[in-house]
């Protein structure tokens, strides 16, 4: 229901009672209702329609007229402001400072009806300070008035015109306005421009419980906050003396959004006069309008039948080829933004966010949220927070690496290996391998020390604590964003059923215990059976990954014999490195190929489950994709970390795969170098490939689309929606790929960080590029995605917490099993020269290398060689009573490893739990403010009901009470 100005002026203004005083604590006088300010505007409008009176006034009265115009002008500006702004027209103390003085609202359409003394000055000031004015610009219908909220695209040659006609007819019946226009560059393409009128917009806004601003916030203060205000003002003066942080964005370049300064409530047409409606065209943002139109498109039938509904099905069957909201304009301008201002929000985002020159600046999250919606805004907020938290992790990891680099030549283990010229290692393969001097592993021993030194344990503990701090402080950051963006109560109000779920289970309904309304219901037996099929598919794909890893292991066993007898001398000398490098590259190719199959299978299994809501579908699909790709990426790393070289046996009695291929051993300097190589190569290549697919591939496709346009047609003559059509659509899975990439990177950064301390640094460098790359992609290379709402990052938060727990366990096992930290520790305090404190001044690790190598009699190999060779293990020598049996030192080391795992896990988990307890998810001040505002909103709703009751009593002639009777 649309209420005209004349109808509003007849309403009686709301007189505040003492119950509404908390909301008006900072105002100098009690505000009137919006209806009175509307009547004021109407009187000003009637006065302005007498231009002849202006010419008949004598010269001596010019100053009086100007004064009256100034008064009217100021009253006009006050009339359509919020309730607290109305105090300015009634007279307020000049020394009083209120938040409402810094808030501007859109009056671009209304102000054109009146005479302004200095239009150029007003326009310049207005275009720089009012975001809604910029947001109002965008593509419109041919009449130049109706804004285009959505675009549908189809081919004229497509024969499914009956479905399209029915669908478009039903859209018009729902209240939408449609206009067709052929493409300029491609005659076969037809665009359908959709505009949602005000009445339809209000109807669906009320149906979807969209929260809209209805009153200016009035912040309360107490004695403590007043005293803190003095302290804050003192520090603010000091801060002004300090040079501005170059990373902070210039706020003067971003108009004041001002949306978080108003209380909001579910929109209601019956109480439309209570909402702050300065301009019908900008009251609902572009994102809200597009979201409402998409809601209608998804629930409109195109044929008879329950399941014949929704734009997505029409796109799948070829009736339409695309559906998207249009961009607001070009992202580039021939005129500089500093002197002429932004042309539109897209232009502003490009200049202040998406350009590569802004890589060191903070992100304009409020503007991102306004243009792309809360869901994408939360993604970039999380990505920025994650990138910022990587800075201390990268710094500590770099310090650990440099510590190893500076002390590498002083390491006792490296010195002993480099000086062991007379120590011969047993052959690492059966046929083509020969005896190898231990000092030939000198370089590998030094490189291993870079990642396996005294700082490794400290860094593993630090990263486990860092992961907890990162997640806990992100929860606080998320709570602040959800409050600022008015998402506190959104999830319970607006979560709707998926059309596919409604069409599948429309015959089975139950009453929703929350809404009390009947809705489709999926029987438990059907749900369990579908979940069993889905889980079976997941296990099948995981087993396929394990099979692929097993194939790579077999490849390593077969190829190492060939590389050991290779013709090239370099490969022959470094055949172990060549085997590992080739296996890593092959494994990466297998990973990328399997990812293509995983996405399709995960999509099919998720649709097979028929999730109830869109968020349930996204969470289910994201979990499957994470499980697939996590196992795919990390299975080979887990093999190298915990299985490589663990079950090989000993010389003369090696274990063989299928009684044919001897199992692979670690390098004489240890297995950690293989783990570092595997992680470094996969992480580096994966990031390069992802960056190319995210930006390079869309750039090539968009270039080809522009190339196909006729040469005689210039871009300037092509409409905005046609330019958008030539861009690439956003991934069908939305932000899933973006989150998945970052979550897998988080796993690389935390799970095996004890073996690769440079992982946080690589992640930081990649994310600095990733933020601007994603921004550039969203602003310039992709069609505008549907502005969706969300309160958090969904299931990814739970996955991140699970990765944090897994990281503690894996790092404990890496330090205890993969590295030589525990064997060195046991030797230092049990078997070394410092065991009994006999030799005070000698290095406690002296003789460690000789102690860690066992003897084997070469004559037992039957190769015609005599003497002894050495191998990495703790077994008895050939001359002992129990040759080649595990020694007592082996069992001591095994017990120490198990004890370290238990102590490390309990210590780190205790610290993590204590930190999580100390850091609340919601800041105390924000928690109190939310409770306070809920109370004030209840009071305001009380006043609204009281006003309604007073009107009814006046109509019936009954006495009017200012409180409830």
């Amino acid at each position: 229901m649309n209420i005209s100005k004349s109808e509003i002026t007849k309403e009686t203004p709301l007189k505040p009672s003492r119950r509404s005083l908390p909301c008006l604590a900072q105002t100098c006088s009690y505000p009137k209702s919006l209806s009175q300010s509307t009547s004021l505007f109407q009187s000003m409008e009637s006065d302005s329609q007498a231009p002849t009176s202006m010419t008949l006034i004598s010269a001596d009265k010019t100053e009086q007229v100007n004064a009256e115009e100034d008064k009217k002008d100021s009253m006009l500006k006050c009339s359509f402001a919020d309730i607290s702004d109305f105090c300015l027209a009634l007279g307020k103390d000049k020394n009083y400072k209120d938040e409402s003085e810094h808030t501007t609202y859109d009056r671009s359409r209304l102000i054109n009806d009146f005479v302004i003394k200095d239009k150029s000055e007003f326009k310049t000031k207005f275009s720089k300070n009012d975001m809604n004015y910029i947001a109002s610009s965008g593509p419109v219908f041919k009449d130049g008035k109706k804004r285009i909220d959505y675009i549908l695209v189809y081919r004229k040659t497509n024969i499914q015109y009956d479905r399209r006609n029915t669908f478009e007819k039903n859209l018009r019946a729902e209240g939408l306005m449609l206009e067709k226009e052929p493409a300029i560059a491609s005659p076969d393409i037809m665009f359908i421009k959709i505009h949602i009128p005000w009445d339809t917009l209000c109807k669906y806004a009320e149906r979807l419980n969209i929260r809209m601003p209805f009153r200016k916030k009035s912040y309360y203060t107490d004695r403590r906050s007043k005293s803190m205000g003095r302290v804050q003002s003192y520090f603010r003066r000091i801060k002004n003396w300090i040079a501005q942080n170059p990373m902070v964005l210039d706020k003067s370049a971003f108009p004041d959004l001002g949306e978080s300064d108003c209380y909001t409530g579910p929109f209601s047409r019956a109480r439309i006069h209570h909402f702050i409606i300065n301009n019908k065209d900008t009251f609902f943002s572009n994102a809200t309008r597009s979201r409402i139109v998409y809601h209608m498109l998804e629930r409109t039938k195109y044929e008879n039948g329950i399941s014949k509904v929704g734009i997505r099905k029409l796109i799948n069957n070829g009736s339409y080829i695309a559906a998207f909201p249009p961009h607001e304009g070009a992202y580039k301008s021939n005129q500089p933004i500093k002197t002429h201002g932004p042309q539109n929000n897209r232009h502003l985002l490009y200049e202040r966010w998406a350009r590569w020159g802004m890589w060191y600046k903070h992100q304009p999250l409020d503007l991102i949220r306004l243009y792309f919606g809360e869901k994408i805004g939360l993604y970039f907020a999380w990505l920025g927070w994650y990138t910022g938290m990587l800075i201390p992790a990268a710094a500590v990891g770099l310090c650990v690496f440099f510590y190893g680099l500076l002390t590498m030549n002083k390491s006792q283990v490296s010195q002993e290996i480099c000086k062991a010229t007379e120590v011969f290692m047993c052959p690492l393969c059966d046929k083509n391998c020969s005896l190898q001097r231990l000092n030939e592993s000198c370089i590998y021993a030094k490189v291993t020390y870079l990642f396996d030194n005294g700082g490794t344990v400290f860094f593993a503990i630090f990263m486990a604590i860092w992961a907890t701090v990162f997640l806990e402080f992100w929860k606080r950051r998320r709570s602040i964003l959800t409050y600022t963006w008015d998402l506190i109560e959104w999830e319970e109000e607006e979560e709707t059923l998926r059309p596919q779920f409604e069409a599948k289970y429309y015959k089975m309904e139950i009453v929703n215990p929350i809404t009390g309304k009947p809705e489709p219901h999926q029987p438990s037996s059907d749900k369990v059976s579908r979940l069993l099929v889905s889980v079976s598919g997941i296990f099948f794909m995981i087993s396929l990954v394990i099979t692929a890893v097993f194939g790579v292991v077999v490849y390593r066993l077969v190829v190492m014999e060939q590389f050991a007898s290779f013709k090239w001398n370099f490969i022959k000398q470094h055949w172990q490195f060549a085997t590992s490098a080739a296996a890593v590259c092959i494994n990466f190719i297998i990973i990328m190929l399997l990812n293509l199959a995983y996405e399709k299978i995960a999509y099919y299994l998720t649709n097979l489950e028929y999730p109830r809501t869109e968020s349930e579908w996204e969470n289910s699909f994201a979990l499957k994709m994470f499980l697939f790709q996590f196992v795919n990426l990390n299975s080979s790393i887990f093999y190298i970390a915990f299985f490589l070289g663990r079950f090989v046996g000993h010389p003369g009695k090696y274990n063989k795969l299928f009684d044919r291929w001897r199992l692979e051993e670690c390098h004489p300097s240890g297995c950690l170098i293989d783990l570092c190589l595997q992680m470094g190569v996969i992480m580096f290549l994966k990031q390069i490939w992802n960056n190319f697919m995210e930006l390079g591939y869309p750039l090539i496709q968009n270039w080809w689309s522009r190339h196909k346009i006729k040469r005689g047609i210039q871009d300037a003559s092509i409409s905005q929606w046609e330019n958008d059509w030539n861009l690439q659509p956003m991934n069908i899975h939305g932000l899933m790929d973006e989150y998945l990439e970052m979550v897998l990177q988080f796993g690389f950064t935390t799970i095996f960080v004890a073996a690769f301390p440079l992982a946080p640094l690589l992640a930081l460098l990649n994310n600095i590029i990733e933020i601007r790359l994603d921004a550039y992609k969203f602003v310039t290379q992709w069609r505008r995605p549907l502005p969706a709402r969300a309160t958090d990052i969904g299931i990814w938060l739970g996955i991140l917490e699970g990765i944090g727990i897994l990281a503690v366990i894996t790092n404990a096992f890496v330090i205890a099993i993969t590295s030589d930290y525990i064997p060195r520790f046991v030797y230092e305090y049990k078997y070394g020269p410092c065991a009994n404190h006999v030799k005070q001044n000698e290095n406690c690790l002296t003789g460690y290398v000789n102690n860690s190598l066992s003897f084997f009699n070469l004559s037992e190999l039957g190769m015609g060689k005599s003497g002894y060779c050495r191998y990495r293990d703790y077994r008895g020598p050939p001359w002992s009573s129990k040759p080649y049996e595990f020694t007592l030192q082996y069992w001591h080391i095994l017990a120490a490893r198990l004890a370290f795992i238990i102590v490390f896990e309990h210590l780190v988990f205790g610290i993590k739990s204590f930190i999580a307890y100390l850091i609340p998810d919601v800041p105390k001040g924000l928690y109190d403010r939310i409770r306070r505002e809920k109370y004030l909103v209840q009071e305001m709703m009380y006043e609204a009901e009281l006003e309604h009751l007073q009107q009814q009593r006046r109509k019936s002639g009954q006495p009017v009470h200012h409180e409830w009777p």
Side-chain angles (χ1 to χ4, degrees), residues 715-736:
D715 289 344
S717 63
I718 297 178
S719 60
Q720 179 60 49
W721 50 89
E722 189 165 352
N723 285 327
D724 293 348
W725 159 247
N726 292 325
L727 298 177
Q728 293 302 306
M730 185 179 177
N731 191 294
I732 189 174
H733 310 308
L735 293 171
M736 195 278 302

PDB file of all heavy atoms in Angstrom, residues 715-736:
ATOM      1  N   ASP A 715      32.714   0.926 -27.958  1.00  0.00           N
ATOM      2  CA  ASP A 715      32.204   0.576 -26.637  1.00  0.00           C
ATOM      3  C   ASP A 715      31.266   1.646 -26.086  1.00  0.00           C
ATOM      4  O   ASP A 715      30.364   1.371 -25.318  1.00  0.00           O
ATOM      5  CB  ASP A 715      33.374   0.370 -25.662  1.00  0.00           C
ATOM      6  CG  ASP A 715      34.138  -0.916 -25.981  1.00  0.00           C
ATOM      7  OD1 ASP A 715      33.581  -1.729 -26.718  1.00  0.00           O
ATOM      8  OD2 ASP A 715      35.278  -1.065 -25.509  1.00  0.00           O
ATOM      9  N   ALA A 716      31.506   2.901 -26.497  1.00  0.00           N
ATOM     10  CA  ALA A 716      30.675   3.982 -25.962  1.00  0.00           C
ATOM     11  C   ALA A 716      29.236   3.872 -26.426  1.00  0.00           C
ATOM     12  O   ALA A 716      28.319   4.357 -25.771  1.00  0.00           O
ATOM     13  CB  ALA A 716      31.266   5.327 -26.372  1.00  0.00           C
ATOM     14  N   SER A 717      29.022   3.262 -27.588  1.00  0.00           N
ATOM     15  CA  SER A 717      27.668   3.142 -28.126  1.00  0.00           C
ATOM     16  C   SER A 717      26.943   1.915 -27.596  1.00  0.00           C
ATOM     17  O   SER A 717      25.763   1.734 -27.881  1.00  0.00           O
ATOM     18  CB  SER A 717      27.728   3.092 -29.652  1.00  0.00           C
ATOM     19  OG  SER A 717      28.428   1.936 -30.086  1.00  0.00           O
ATOM     20  N   ILE A 718      27.609   1.093 -26.864  1.00  0.00           N
ATOM     21  CA  ILE A 718      27.011  -0.122 -26.330  1.00  0.00           C
ATOM     22  C   ILE A 718      26.479   0.173 -24.936  1.00  0.00           C
ATOM     23  O   ILE A 718      27.144   0.832 -24.123  1.00  0.00           O
ATOM     24  CB  ILE A 718      28.044  -1.263 -26.297  1.00  0.00           C
ATOM     25  CG1 ILE A 718      28.503  -1.586 -27.722  1.00  0.00           C
ATOM     26  CG2 ILE A 718      27.457  -2.500 -25.638  1.00  0.00           C
ATOM     27  CD1 ILE A 718      29.553  -2.668 -27.779  1.00  0.00           C
ATOM     28  N   SER A 719      25.291  -0.340 -24.645  1.00  0.00           N
ATOM     29  CA  SER A 719      24.662  -0.098 -23.353  1.00  0.00           C
ATOM     30  C   SER A 719      25.424  -0.814 -22.241  1.00  0.00           C
ATOM     31  O   SER A 719      26.220  -1.732 -22.495  1.00  0.00           O
ATOM     32  CB  SER A 719      23.211  -0.572 -23.382  1.00  0.00           C
ATOM     33  OG  SER A 719      23.156  -1.959 -23.673  1.00  0.00           O
ATOM     34  N   GLN A 720      25.132  -0.380 -21.016  1.00  0.00           N
ATOM     35  CA  GLN A 720      25.822  -0.954 -19.872  1.00  0.00           C
ATOM     36  C   GLN A 720      25.505  -2.433 -19.715  1.00  0.00           C
ATOM     37  O   GLN A 720      26.380  -3.248 -19.420  1.00  0.00           O
ATOM     38  CB  GLN A 720      25.423  -0.194 -18.597  1.00  0.00           C
ATOM     39  CG  GLN A 720      26.072  -0.729 -17.322  1.00  0.00           C
ATOM     40  CD  GLN A 720      27.580  -0.665 -17.375  1.00  0.00           C
ATOM     41  OE1 GLN A 720      28.140   0.366 -17.716  1.00  0.00           O
ATOM     42  NE2 GLN A 720      28.241  -1.770 -17.066  1.00  0.00           N
ATOM     43  N   TRP A 721      24.245  -2.801 -19.929  1.00  0.00           N
ATOM     44  CA  TRP A 721      23.877  -4.202 -19.748  1.00  0.00           C
ATOM     45  C   TRP A 721      24.493  -5.080 -20.830  1.00  0.00           C
ATOM     46  O   TRP A 721      24.766  -6.246 -20.580  1.00  0.00           O
ATOM     47  CB  TRP A 721      22.360  -4.362 -19.705  1.00  0.00           C
ATOM     48  CG  TRP A 721      21.628  -3.686 -20.827  1.00  0.00           C
ATOM     49  CD1 TRP A 721      21.323  -4.200 -22.043  1.00  0.00           C
ATOM     50  CD2 TRP A 721      21.118  -2.343 -20.820  1.00  0.00           C
ATOM     51  NE1 TRP A 721      20.647  -3.286 -22.796  1.00  0.00           N
ATOM     52  CE2 TRP A 721      20.501  -2.133 -22.076  1.00  0.00           C
ATOM     53  CE3 TRP A 721      21.097  -1.325 -19.885  1.00  0.00           C
ATOM     54  CZ2 TRP A 721      19.889  -0.923 -22.418  1.00  0.00           C
ATOM     55  CZ3 TRP A 721      20.493  -0.132 -20.216  1.00  0.00           C
ATOM     56  CH2 TRP A 721      19.907   0.070 -21.472  1.00  0.00           C
ATOM     57  N   GLU A 722      24.733  -4.535 -22.003  1.00  0.00           N
ATOM     58  CA  GLU A 722      25.392  -5.329 -23.032  1.00  0.00           C
ATOM     59  C   GLU A 722      26.880  -5.490 -22.726  1.00  0.00           C
ATOM     60  O   GLU A 722      27.460  -6.548 -22.982  1.00  0.00           O
ATOM     61  CB  GLU A 722      25.199  -4.686 -24.406  1.00  0.00           C
ATOM     62  CG  GLU A 722      25.681  -5.567 -25.550  1.00  0.00           C
ATOM     63  CD  GLU A 722      25.174  -5.106 -26.895  1.00  0.00           C
ATOM     64  OE1 GLU A 722      24.327  -4.191 -26.936  1.00  0.00           O
ATOM     65  OE2 GLU A 722      25.616  -5.666 -27.914  1.00  0.00           O
ATOM     66  N   ASN A 723      27.491  -4.458 -22.177  1.00  0.00           N
ATOM     67  CA  ASN A 723      28.872  -4.602 -21.714  1.00  0.00           C
ATOM     68  C   ASN A 723      28.964  -5.630 -20.597  1.00  0.00           C
ATOM     69  O   ASN A 723      29.911  -6.422 -20.542  1.00  0.00           O
ATOM     70  CB  ASN A 723      29.416  -3.257 -21.233  1.00  0.00           C
ATOM     71  CG  ASN A 723      29.756  -2.325 -22.376  1.00  0.00           C
ATOM     72  OD1 ASN A 723      30.181  -2.773 -23.452  1.00  0.00           O
ATOM     73  ND2 ASN A 723      29.564  -1.024 -22.185  1.00  0.00           N
ATOM     74  N   ASP A 724      27.977  -5.628 -19.699  1.00  0.00           N
ATOM     75  CA  ASP A 724      27.962  -6.629 -18.634  1.00  0.00           C
ATOM     76  C   ASP A 724      27.790  -8.029 -19.194  1.00  0.00           C
ATOM     77  O   ASP A 724      28.376  -8.994 -18.678  1.00  0.00           O
ATOM     78  CB  ASP A 724      26.833  -6.328 -17.640  1.00  0.00           C
ATOM     79  CG  ASP A 724      27.086  -5.046 -16.864  1.00  0.00           C
ATOM     80  OD1 ASP A 724      28.211  -4.542 -16.928  1.00  0.00           O
ATOM     81  OD2 ASP A 724      26.147  -4.547 -16.219  1.00  0.00           O
ATOM     82  N   TRP A 725      26.993  -8.143 -20.235  1.00  0.00           N
ATOM     83  CA  TRP A 725      26.778  -9.450 -20.859  1.00  0.00           C
ATOM     84  C   TRP A 725      28.074 -10.005 -21.440  1.00  0.00           C
ATOM     85  O   TRP A 725      28.314 -11.215 -21.425  1.00  0.00           O
ATOM     86  CB  TRP A 725      25.707  -9.324 -21.935  1.00  0.00           C
ATOM     87  CG  TRP A 725      25.718 -10.418 -22.965  1.00  0.00           C
ATOM     88  CD1 TRP A 725      26.019 -10.305 -24.286  1.00  0.00           C
ATOM     89  CD2 TRP A 725      25.395 -11.799 -22.765  1.00  0.00           C
ATOM     90  NE1 TRP A 725      25.917 -11.506 -24.912  1.00  0.00           N
ATOM     91  CE2 TRP A 725      25.539 -12.457 -24.002  1.00  0.00           C
ATOM     92  CE3 TRP A 725      25.009 -12.537 -21.652  1.00  0.00           C
ATOM     93  CZ2 TRP A 725      25.311 -13.802 -24.151  1.00  0.00           C
ATOM     94  CZ3 TRP A 725      24.781 -13.892 -21.806  1.00  0.00           C
ATOM     95  CH2 TRP A 725      24.929 -14.509 -23.042  1.00  0.00           C
ATOM     96  N   ASN A 726      28.939  -9.129 -21.927  1.00  0.00           N
ATOM     97  CA  ASN A 726      30.213  -9.568 -22.488  1.00  0.00           C
ATOM     98  C   ASN A 726      31.228  -9.945 -21.419  1.00  0.00           C
ATOM     99  O   ASN A 726      32.280 -10.507 -21.747  1.00  0.00           O
ATOM    100  CB  ASN A 726      30.802  -8.467 -23.379  1.00  0.00           C
ATOM    101  CG  ASN A 726      29.974  -8.246 -24.633  1.00  0.00           C
ATOM    102  OD1 ASN A 726      29.420  -9.189 -25.192  1.00  0.00           O
ATOM    103  ND2 ASN A 726      29.858  -6.997 -25.076  1.00  0.00           N
ATOM    104  N   LEU A 727      30.939  -9.632 -20.143  1.00  0.00           N
ATOM    105  CA  LEU A 727      31.816 -10.053 -19.060  1.00  0.00           C
ATOM    106  C   LEU A 727      31.526 -11.503 -18.679  1.00  0.00           C
ATOM    107  O   LEU A 727      30.517 -12.093 -19.082  1.00  0.00           O
ATOM    108  CB  LEU A 727      31.620  -9.150 -17.833  1.00  0.00           C
ATOM    109  CG  LEU A 727      31.961  -7.668 -18.012  1.00  0.00           C
ATOM    110  CD1 LEU A 727      31.650  -6.909 -16.733  1.00  0.00           C
ATOM    111  CD2 LEU A 727      33.409  -7.484 -18.411  1.00  0.00           C
ATOM    112  N   GLN A 728      32.414 -12.074 -17.877  1.00  0.00           N
ATOM    113  CA  GLN A 728      32.242 -13.451 -17.432  1.00  0.00           C
ATOM    114  C   GLN A 728      31.319 -13.505 -16.223  1.00  0.00           C
ATOM    115  O   GLN A 728      31.388 -12.642 -15.346  1.00  0.00           O
ATOM    116  CB  GLN A 728      33.603 -14.066 -17.070  1.00  0.00           C
ATOM    117  CG  GLN A 728      34.523 -14.240 -18.234  1.00  0.00           C
ATOM    118  CD  GLN A 728      33.911 -15.116 -19.316  1.00  0.00           C
ATOM    119  OE1 GLN A 728      33.483 -16.233 -19.054  1.00  0.00           O
ATOM    120  NE2 GLN A 728      33.867 -14.596 -20.530  1.00  0.00           N
ATOM    121  N   PRO A 729      30.452 -14.506 -16.153  1.00  0.00           N
ATOM    122  CA  PRO A 729      29.593 -14.620 -14.966  1.00  0.00           C
ATOM    123  C   PRO A 729      30.398 -15.099 -13.766  1.00  0.00           C
ATOM    124  O   PRO A 729      31.429 -15.764 -13.907  1.00  0.00           O
ATOM    125  CB  PRO A 729      28.555 -15.662 -15.391  1.00  0.00           C
ATOM    126  CG  PRO A 729      29.255 -16.496 -16.416  1.00  0.00           C
ATOM    127  CD  PRO A 729      30.189 -15.566 -17.145  1.00  0.00           C
ATOM    128  N   MET A 730      29.924 -14.743 -12.609  1.00  0.00           N
ATOM    129  CA  MET A 730      30.556 -15.243 -11.390  1.00  0.00           C
ATOM    130  C   MET A 730      30.391 -16.746 -11.321  1.00  0.00           C
ATOM    131  O   MET A 730      29.425 -17.316 -11.857  1.00  0.00           O
ATOM    132  CB  MET A 730      29.919 -14.588 -10.161  1.00  0.00           C
ATOM    133  CG  MET A 730      30.586 -14.954  -8.847  1.00  0.00           C
ATOM    134  SD  MET A 730      29.793 -14.127  -7.449  1.00  0.00           S
ATOM    135  CE  MET A 730      30.746 -14.833  -6.100  1.00  0.00           C
ATOM    136  N   ASN A 731      31.336 -17.401 -10.688  1.00  0.00           N
ATOM    137  CA  ASN A 731      31.279 -18.849 -10.553  1.00  0.00           C
ATOM    138  C   ASN A 731      29.920 -19.289 -10.032  1.00  0.00           C
ATOM    139  O   ASN A 731      29.343 -18.640  -9.150  1.00  0.00           O
ATOM    140  CB  ASN A 731      32.382 -19.325  -9.597  1.00  0.00           C
ATOM    141  CG  ASN A 731      32.554 -20.830  -9.617  1.00  0.00           C
ATOM    142  OD1 ASN A 731      31.674 -21.571  -9.219  1.00  0.00           O
ATOM    143  ND2 ASN A 731      33.694 -21.268 -10.091  1.00  0.00           N
ATOM    144  N   ILE A 732      29.407 -20.372 -10.582  1.00  0.00           N
ATOM    145  CA  ILE A 732      28.065 -20.833 -10.217  1.00  0.00           C
ATOM    146  C   ILE A 732      27.965 -21.168  -8.735  1.00  0.00           C
ATOM    147  O   ILE A 732      26.893 -21.109  -8.136  1.00  0.00           O
ATOM    148  CB  ILE A 732      27.680 -22.066 -11.074  1.00  0.00           C
ATOM    149  CG1 ILE A 732      26.203 -22.412 -10.865  1.00  0.00           C
ATOM    150  CG2 ILE A 732      28.577 -23.240 -10.752  1.00  0.00           C
ATOM    151  CD1 ILE A 732      25.711 -23.508 -11.775  1.00  0.00           C
ATOM    152  N   HIS A 733      29.090 -21.474  -8.119  1.00  0.00           N
ATOM    153  CA  HIS A 733      29.088 -21.814  -6.694  1.00  0.00           C
ATOM    154  C   HIS A 733      29.383 -20.621  -5.812  1.00  0.00           C
ATOM    155  O   HIS A 733      29.627 -20.781  -4.607  1.00  0.00           O
ATOM    156  CB  HIS A 733      30.109 -22.921  -6.420  1.00  0.00           C
ATOM    157  CG  HIS A 733      29.981 -24.098  -7.334  1.00  0.00           C
ATOM    158  ND1 HIS A 733      28.789 -24.746  -7.531  1.00  0.00           N
ATOM    159  CD2 HIS A 733      30.886 -24.723  -8.119  1.00  0.00           C
ATOM    160  CE1 HIS A 733      28.973 -25.741  -8.391  1.00  0.00           C
ATOM    161  NE2 HIS A 733      30.230 -25.730  -8.771  1.00  0.00           N
ATOM    162  N   GLY A 734      29.371 -19.445  -6.392  1.00  0.00           N
ATOM    163  CA  GLY A 734      29.549 -18.245  -5.593  1.00  0.00           C
ATOM    164  C   GLY A 734      30.942 -18.139  -5.016  1.00  0.00           C
ATOM    165  O   GLY A 734      31.954 -18.310  -5.719  1.00  0.00           O
ATOM    166  N   LEU A 735      31.005 -17.864  -3.725  1.00  0.00           N
ATOM    167  CA  LEU A 735      32.278 -17.649  -3.054  1.00  0.00           C
ATOM    168  C   LEU A 735      32.931 -18.938  -2.574  1.00  0.00           C
ATOM    169  O   LEU A 735      33.961 -18.891  -1.898  1.00  0.00           O
ATOM    170  CB  LEU A 735      32.070 -16.723  -1.851  1.00  0.00           C
ATOM    171  CG  LEU A 735      31.680 -15.283  -2.171  1.00  0.00           C
ATOM    172  CD1 LEU A 735      31.294 -14.548  -0.902  1.00  0.00           C
ATOM    173  CD2 LEU A 735      32.814 -14.564  -2.871  1.00  0.00           C
ATOM    174  N   MET A 736      32.357 -20.080  -2.923  1.00  0.00           N
ATOM    175  CA  MET A 736      32.894 -21.343  -2.433  1.00  0.00           C
ATOM    176  C   MET A 736      34.337 -21.542  -2.868  1.00  0.00           C
ATOM    177  O   MET A 736      35.202 -21.939  -2.072  1.00  0.00           O
ATOM    178  CB  MET A 736      32.017 -22.494  -2.925  1.00  0.00           C
ATOM    179  CG  MET A 736      32.250 -23.816  -2.209  1.00  0.00           C
ATOM    180  SD  MET A 736      33.665 -24.752  -2.817  1.00  0.00           S
ATOM    181  CE  MET A 736      33.229 -24.935  -4.533  1.00  0.00           C
TER     182      MET A 736
END
